[in-house]
Amino acid sequence: MLWLQLATVLVFIFIGARLGGIGIGYAGGAGVIVLALSGMETSMAFIPVEVILIIMSVIATIAAMQRAGGLDYLVHLSERMLRKHPQYITFAAPIVTYFMTLLAGTGHTAFSTLPVIAEVAKEQGIRPSKPLSIAVVASQVAITASPISAAVVAFAAMLQPMGVSYLQLLLIAIPSTFVAVMIGAIIANLLGKPLLEDSVYQERLKEGLIKQRERYEYKPTSNAKFSVYAFVISIILVVTYAILLSGTIENPTIGRSEAIMSIMLATAGVIATKCKLNVNEITQMPTFRAGMCACICVLGVAWLGSTFVNGHIDDIKNLSGALLASYPWMLALVLFFASMLLYSQGATTAALMPAALAMGVAPVAAIASFAAVSALFVLPTYPTLLAAIEMDDTGSTRIGRYVFDHPFLLPGIVTISASVMIAFVIGNIVIS
């Protein structure tokens, strides 16, 4: 039954991947029904409720910030940085998307910067696929280093009983992923012909399909600035409280996850009140819709994966426990291929990390492998990846004949591989 039920899980994940978007969550729910009919126990306990609630809370705040004009202000600041040294766009672009994701806890913030990246690259005669590819990868990998991302918060809760604090996790994750992104940028910078030698670009140029983005004088409003400042302060409060929980505060009346959710919701309320927003309009923001879609995806897929794992935890330990104990780096491969299909760092973390830790994988190995839950770039169907292709009217950022031969693949693999190796080194220093 184990192999039959595993096949069921994979079939429904495949169906969800084909449906795309929120369809992944729908397929996950259908898969749970089939597993239940096959005799497996399902339970509310298998649903990563904490992850879903954190996503909802953070997204509610980001949507309020977007409605107040805060995201436009962040894009303005990003554009100023990118245009300050445009010749280094391949390295500046991933820095921008990395820190925007680190700050916001969601990679969807990259959407707003992609048109700017493509335009600056064109102005410099640089192949846009170079900065766009690594910028998208950076926005995905930064999720595993963001203090408020659902994946990090959920993983920190799993590590706490093993003596690893939230602060130690961040001390390993942030430097390892950032350095890895810069290594990935070096690789991205070496890929592809010069723009002027690209035949697709030349054809599109002759046909008049290459457009220049209209630039306008942006003047941030007081509401836009206030919303960004309020959001940054909320993150500082969250991180400070989480650090205090790691050793200073005993018997807290509010836990780490509860603090994140309450601070984020309160911040959204402050933004809405101070900026006099129509709260009904907040739910119409693109970031809100994307976040709620992510919640459904995590609900369905993580429930499906957790149901299977919990039903066969002893068999899984017997089959792979010894292998992972001898070769802990193989956990990174498991997470890499799982995240390709699950399309969510939070869902992959919630579905597989508890099983890995239960099998005896050392905390250092688990943390080092954590970045591998960000392999969302492998299949060329992820929203930010597709947006990057759409934003590049030169045609340099395109899916190849064999589907996997796209410009995001190699920089992404190099970035995750480098992050895993660097995190092993840093982890052994931080966790001694």
Side-chain angles (χ1 to χ4, degrees), residues 79 83 119 123 211-217:
E79 183 168 5
R83 292 190 182 280
E119 190 63 26
E123 290 174 0
K211 308 290 184 182
Q212 291 296 323
R213 175 173 167 266
E214 291 185 13
R215 295 178 62 182
Y216 62 95
E217 191 64 29

Side-chain angles (χ1 to χ4, degrees), residues 317-327 359:
K317 285 181 180 179
N318 293 333
L319 287 170
S320 56
L323 186 63
L324 286 175
S326 302
Y327 306 100
M359 282 185 270

Side-chain angles (χ1 to χ4, degrees), residues 263-277:
I263 289 173
M264 285 295 151
L265 291 175
T267 301
V270 169
I271 293 172
T273 303
K274 169 64 173 62
C275 300
K276 298 179 180 179
L277 303 180

Side-chain angles (χ1 to χ4, degrees), residues 186-205:
I186 294 173
I187 299 302
N189 201 43
L190 299 174
L191 298 177
K193 298 177 181 178
L195 184 59
L196 294 177
E197 297 178 13
D198 190 297
S199 59
V200 174
Y201 170 71
Q202 293 295 343
E203 289 176 10
R204 295 180 68 84
L205 194 61

Side-chain angles (χ1 to χ4, degrees), residues 48-62:
V49 175
E50 185 175 313
V51 173
I52 294 170
L53 294 179
I54 288 171
I55 293 175
M56 292 174 64
S57 305
V58 172
I59 288 298
T61 312
I62 293 173

Side-chain angles (χ1 to χ4, degrees), residues 35-47:
L35 290 182
L37 292 175
S38 70
M40 291 200 74
E41 179 186 355
T42 61
S43 169
M44 283 287 291
F46 300 158
I47 300 174

